[in-house]
Amino acid sequence: MGFSVTDARLSGRDLVAVLVVVLLWGVNFVVMKFALRDFTPFQLGAARYVFAVLPLALFIRPPKIPWKWLLLYGCFQGVGQFGILFIALKVGMTAALASVLLQTQIFFTALFGFVLLRERVGRPLQVGLVLAALGLSCFALNYINPNATGDGAGSTTTLLGFVLTLCAAGMWALSNIVARRVQQVAGNYSPPAFVVWSSVVAVLPFAALSFLFDPETVRWQWTQARWSSWLAVAYLGWAATIVGYSLWTGLLKRHPANRVAPFSLGVPIVGLSAGMLVLGEVITPWQWAGIALVVSALGSVMLGGMMKRR
């Protein structure tokens, strides 16, 4: 009797893998905050990808695809997504809210897919886009209405941080479009090799940006960083990137995406809890409303599409 990926249920080991990924990626945002105490955003970007590629690039050969796709993915996902996200966390964005807002990449991916790849926008996605727009409006009202910020909230989030986080989500979406395009033109390739060698691409741009834009007074401060900040960088490079993406890729190989994807709803929940408990971050009423609408939008897309297919 043959094995069918579509019919396979998640085993106990798979559920443990899901839990580990959700925890790693949810705590990821708090760890970024710790690392940014001693590193500038550009320094952190360079260090993260050095840690991510240093062990694996020595053993994994480059994928057999044109280098332009590695360059595009490395620029969008590495320099674009995480470079902008690190700046947002530095200038005014909490780890808790970043974990939620970054998930809007699902909707940016849908919009870019519709425009660039002519992909169809189904009913669950249409509902999700409306809910997400309402949610983002609530986040925006938090900054437009001076009475909505609450005590101490204005010192932890800013309108610039909010906009930059959405830009980071847009960059993540563009990297998803690149990955889909690679699948169309290159066919069978190694996803781990693609991730590792596109990460190599991000190291030099981050180093160059640090040299150009970081003040001389902080350009070499990474040499005096606390050991806890170096542990945070190691977590970002090895745990969140290598372990997290390896487990997630393995789940997608063994099970259909519509069965695995809904578990990613746990990432913003863990991120919110970690930000509030570890960093003492404050969520205002408008932000809670936005969070509820964005999470509902994600649920509409992930669960609604699955129920429609059934």
Side-chain angles (χ1 to χ4, degrees), residues 106-126:
I106 292 176
F107 309 109
F108 285 113
T109 301
L111 292 174
F112 293 148
F114 175 75
V115 174
L116 300 175
L117 302 180
R118 306 300 182 192
E119 294 181 346
R120 181 175 174 272
V121 179
R123 182 59 59 84
L125 183 55
Q126 293 174 11

Side-chain angles (χ1 to χ4, degrees), residues 118-302:
R118 306 300 182 192
E119 294 181 346
R120 181 175 174 272
V121 179
R123 182 59 59 84
L125 183 55
Q126 293 174 11
V127 174
L129 287 170
V130 172
L131 291 173
L134 292 174
L136 294 179
S137 299
C138 290
F139 285 114
L141 286 172
N142 189 78
Y143 304 103
I144 295 174
N145 183 355
N147 297 320
T149 55
D151 295 335
S155 63
T156 55
T157 65
T158 63
L159 181 58
L160 178 60
F162 170 72
V163 172
L164 287 174
T165 305
L166 291 181
C167 291
M171 286 293 177
W172 187 357
L174 286 174
S175 72
N176 291 337
I177 298 300
V178 172
R180 291 181 183 179
R181 186 61 179 156
V182 171
Q183 185 64 41
Q184 292 174 355
V185 300
N188 188 22
Y189 69 97
S190 170
F194 181 76
V195 172
V196 168
W197 284 94
S198 62
S199 296
V200 173
V201 172
V203 176
L204 287 180
F206 270 125
L209 288 169
S210 177
F211 179 79
L212 290 174
F213 295 106
D214 287 341
E216 281 192 39
T217 54
V218 300
R219 190 172 293 168
W220 298 100
Q221 72 178 12
W222 59 271
T223 59
Q224 301 174 354
R226 287 165 283 192
W227 65 269
S228 58
S229 295
W230 282 110
L231 284 179
V233 172
Y235 179 96
L236 295 174
W238 292 335
T241 302
I242 295 176
V243 177
Y245 280 102
S246 296
L247 290 175
W248 191 254
T249 302
L251 289 166
L252 290 175
K253 284 184 177 180
R254 294 190 295 273
H255 304 281
N258 59 18
R259 185 167 296 171
V260 176
F263 289 102
S264 65
L265 286 171
V267 174
I269 296 175
V270 174
L272 277 168
S273 303
M276 296 173 67
L277 293 174
V278 178
L279 300 178
E281 294 176 343
V282 177
I283 308 295
T284 69
W286 276 118
Q287 291 170 343
W288 277 122
I291 290 168
L293 286 167
V294 169
V295 172
S296 298
L298 294 171
S300 171
V301 174
M302 296 179 179

Side-chain angles (χ1 to χ4, degrees), residues 11-22 244 247-248 251 254:
S11 65
R13 190 178 72 172
D14 290 332
L15 292 175
V16 171
V18 166
L19 178 61
V20 171
V21 170
V22 168
L247 290 175
W248 191 254
L251 289 166
R254 294 190 295 273

